[in-house]
Amino acid sequence: MNHKLTRALGASLVLLGALAWTAAAPPAANALTNCTVDDLTVDGEEQAFLRLINDYRAKNGIAALSLDPALTRASTWMASDLGGRSTFAHTDSLGRSPWVRMPDCGVTAPGGENLAAGTNYSSAQSALDAWINSPKHRELMLASDFKAIGVARVFREGSTYGWYWVTDFGYSGGDTSTAATTTPPPTPASTIAPKPAQPVATPAAAPPPPRRMLALEAGVSLLTWDGGYVHPAQVFGGKANWVSMVYVFDQGSQTWLRWGPGLDPQMQTLTALRNGVQYWVVVTRSIEVEVID
């Protein structure tokens, strides 16, 4: 699984226009607690955005995204949260970056986030065009390794920007449509003929893949993580006697995130290693750690 931190935390896009919105406003979805919203319906413009972004990806030779309930919950919470405050940033009012907020909403493999706001951005087409015209947001929408998306637009009367759009992207999961499906009624038991048992051959167990190890010299090393989405303790916890600290600069919050085996848990702000991201690691002696996929 390929996690791209810098691309996923593209610059925030504040979109302001002089024209007043003309489309009818949907009911406002109000952020409640950790990741609870009172309206998770997908309105016509949100559905239109899914079609538009998939058409745009298709024109660029990229597979379509599927709508994911957890990503949609995360997007709706963030759009509602933005509408209730004056600041405009990827960090929400609870101090969470997208990497913390999306897992709180049930997203297992978060990938990225685009934001837009402005009184003349009520339509799906206007939001898409604005992101297409911004290189970092366009790059995020055309990321071929993203498989799922959550889409939300919220109107908050009296807010700083009026309309708020949030799209959250993920590496896996997703529903192919928003329509509810029904299960056909079961066939009465009397009409089902029993099937004869068939012998099943047990395949031979495949040998385990060789372990991938990463060597670190004593002192400060800059490494590019080539494994999966894992907590630093899973990689460095077994070498706690010799690992002092792991650092990374978070482009979204513009702060340094850190993890260390002796650091107070409340100060451990680095919660996951991501594929392709560079980390500074301080060790007191040469060690090897396993690359976990």
Side-chain angles (χ1 to χ4, degrees):
M1 188 174 292
N2 186 15
H3 298 269
K4 297 179 176 63
L5 182 65
T6 53
R7 178 164 67 186
L9 284 175
S12 301
L13 179 61
V14 181
L15 304 175
L16 301 177
L19 297 178
W21 59 276
T22 56
N30 299 309
L32 300 178
T33 56
N34 193 32
C35 195
T36 303
V37 294
D38 57 9
D39 183 6
L40 269 179
T41 58
V42 180
D43 68 20
E45 287 301 317
E46 292 164 338
Q47 295 179 35
F49 185 90
L50 179 64
R51 293 192 297 270
L52 289 171
I53 191 174
N54 281 335
D55 288 345
Y56 182 58
R57 286 168 66 93
K59 290 177 182 177
N60 288 273
I62 302 171
L65 299 166
S66 54
L67 194 65
D68 179 76
L71 286 166
T72 296
R73 181 180 297 276
S75 298
T76 304
W77 199 99
M78 185 58 175
S80 304
D81 187 63
L82 287 170
R85 53 195 174 100
S86 59
T87 55
F88 189 80
H90 287 284
T91 301
D92 65 20
S93 61
L94 300 181
R96 299 177 300 180
S97 71
W99 310 127
V100 176
R101 175 176 15 93
M102 282 193 262
D104 281 351
C105 295
V107 179
T108 57
E113 180 174 88
N114 275 346
L115 308 179
T119 54
N120 61 330
Y121 289 97
S122 62
S123 71
Q125 188 67 63
S126 62
L128 181 77
D129 291 344
W131 283 330
I132 289 176
N133 291 328
S134 170
K136 285 187 177 295
H137 296 81
R138 180 174 64 248
E139 181 184 6
L140 196 67
M141 292 193 297
L142 294 178
S144 60
D145 44 359
F146 291 161
K147 307 302 180 186
I149 189 174
V151 182
R153 69 163 192 162
V154 167
F155 178 78
R156 182 62 63 85
E157 187 173 357
S159 63
T160 304
Y161 301 114
W163 286 100
Y164 297 85
W165 280 88
V166 178
T167 51
D168 284 334
F169 299 85
Y171 291 97
S172 62
D175 293 339
T176 56
S177 69
T178 59
T181 59
T182 57
T183 303
T187 305
S190 59
T191 66
I192 303 177
K195 295 182 179 180
Q198 298 292 330
V200 178
T202 303
R211 298 172 64 192
R212 291 193 295 147
M213 304 302 293
L214 182 65
L216 298 172
E217 298 295 329
V220 181
S221 299
L222 179 62
L223 67 87
T224 301
W225 179 244
D226 190 31
Y229 176 76
V230 296
H231 194 281
Q234 294 179 252
V235 178
F236 301 104
K239 307 290 184 178
N241 290 339
W242 305 289
V243 176
S244 299
M245 201 68 63
V246 183
Y247 294 96
V248 69
F249 187 73
D250 182 359
Q251 297 289 343
S253 62
Q254 293 292 296
T255 59
W256 285 93
L257 306 180
R258 58 191 179 275
W259 176 89
L263 194 63
D264 187 311
Q266 294 184 349
M267 302 295 293
Q268 293 181 355
T269 53
L270 176 58
T271 59
L273 302 179
R274 299 176 182 277
N275 187 280
V277 177
Q278 291 187 316
Y279 297 88
W280 293 97
V281 183
V282 183
V283 296
T284 58
R285 52 163 281 186
S286 298
I287 63 171
E288 281 191 342
V289 294
E290 183 177 1
V291 178
I292 303 174
D293 294 317

